[in-house]
Amino acid sequence: KQEVTQIPAALSVPEGENLVLNCSFTDSAIYNLQWFRQDPGKGLTSLLLIQSSQREQTSGRLNASLDKSSGRSTLYIAASQPGDSATYLCAVTGGGTSYGKLTFGQGTILTVHP
Amino acid sequence: SQTIHQWPATLVQPVGSPLSLECTVEGTSNPNLYWYRQAAGRGLQLLFYSVGIGQISSEVPQNLSASRPQDRQFILSSKKLLLSDSGFYLCALGGPSGGNTIYFGEGSWLTVV
């Protein structure tokens, strides 16, 4: 059974800092990995999708890397802003007949203070 | 672009009452559709997924059921709610191949009292 772990559970940083969120998964036979953002009381917003054959994806100040063989992914946020405050979730999809079903980590609660 | 509509956004229901949460999607055809639940202090759990009309797979045994009467409509139901059914219910869609980005709706908050 796939298990996804995110470290740290919570992170508080001053504005402007670069930061790294970590995600690990137990079964390396994944199809892809996705990072989401969730604001309080809201749905999930997809940030980045990394296919299993890829090493990284970038979108603006966000960069996600994937090391499938070691079961790890990192989300790098450059020059953090108060608007980045949210819960960040990592999720993986298995291959074959998984039909895109996601297994989520517990999330990292990020607070960026001015 | 793809959009997901969920309603109601918020619901307070007594124990033992029925439930119907509706999800409709636009901007796509033949999507895979999913119902997830996020309970207080717990992570996101997949409840049901559907790869087509009338095709429902359940991931966990529970008090809930799902139906897909149309290609772009996914409904979550219960005949008699339990306190443990309280949570944040999210509808999601993905491409038919299962390898695409998964998109989520804004969710429905259910409180069973």
Side-chain angles (χ1 to χ4, degrees):
Chain A
K1 179 185 174 184
Q2 178 74 269
E3 293 183 1
V4 180
T5 303
Q6 291 188 243
I7 294 173
L11 184 63
S12 180
V13 300
E15 182 177 5
E17 274 203 7
N18 302 324
L19 54 97
V20 175
L21 307 182
N22 297 291
C23 171
S24 61
F25 44 95
T26 55
D27 185 351
S28 61
I30 64 169
Y31 196 73
N32 59 42
L33 182 145
Q34 200 165 344
W35 282 94
F36 294 90
R37 168 187 172 136
Q38 185 176 29
D39 294 293
K42 301 293 185 180
L44 276 64
T45 300
S46 177
L47 297 174
L48 291 164
L49 171 74
I50 309 179
Q51 301 291 352
S52 61
S53 59
Q54 298 175 322
R55 297 285 292 180
E56 66 177 342
Q57 283 286 337
T58 299
S59 176
R61 294 183 293 109
L62 304 179
N63 175 276
S65 67
L66 175 63
D67 185 341
K68 181 182 171 183
S69 61
S70 67
R72 295 178 182 179
S73 176
T74 61
L75 178 66
Y76 176 81
I77 303 177
S80 58
Q81 304 170 358
D84 294 330
S85 298
T87 298
Y88 289 81
L89 294 155
C90 163
V92 297
T93 302
T97 58
S98 71
Y99 297 112
K101 295 181 287 183
L102 294 166
T103 301
F104 281 89
Q106 292 289 332
T108 294
I109 301 171
L110 173 64
T111 303
V112 181
H113 47 88
Chain B
S1 63
Q2 300 162 330
T3 57
I4 304 171
H5 302 284
Q6 284 190 244
W7 69 88
T10 305
L11 196 59
V12 179
Q13 290 286 94
V15 169
S17 64
L19 170 73
S20 181
L21 299 179
E22 189 163 341
C23 170
T24 58
V25 302
E26 297 176 354
T28 184
S29 60
N30 195 30
N32 290 345
L33 296 174
Y34 313 85
W35 278 111
Y36 285 84
R37 177 171 62 197
Q38 191 173 35
R42 300 176 65 180
L44 278 145
Q45 181 183 38
L46 177 64
L47 302 176
F48 301 95
Y49 70 93
S50 171
V51 299
I53 296 173
Q55 301 180 62
I56 308 296
S57 296
S58 174
E59 288 295 292
V60 293
Q62 58 206 315
N63 185 44
L64 304 169
S65 63
S67 62
R68 187 168 175 178
Q70 300 179 43
D71 182 48
R72 300 172 196 175
Q73 184 183 31
F74 203 24
I75 298 172
L76 184 70
S77 304
S78 174
K79 293 182 179 178
K80 290 184 178 181
L81 284 168
L82 305 172
L83 287 174
S84 59
D85 292 324
S86 294
F88 190 40
Y89 288 83
L90 290 156
C91 178
L93 75 86
S97 69
N100 304 86
T101 299
I102 305 297
Y103 297 95
F104 283 80
E106 284 299 307
S108 294
W109 281 101
L110 171 65
T111 303
V112 183
V113 296

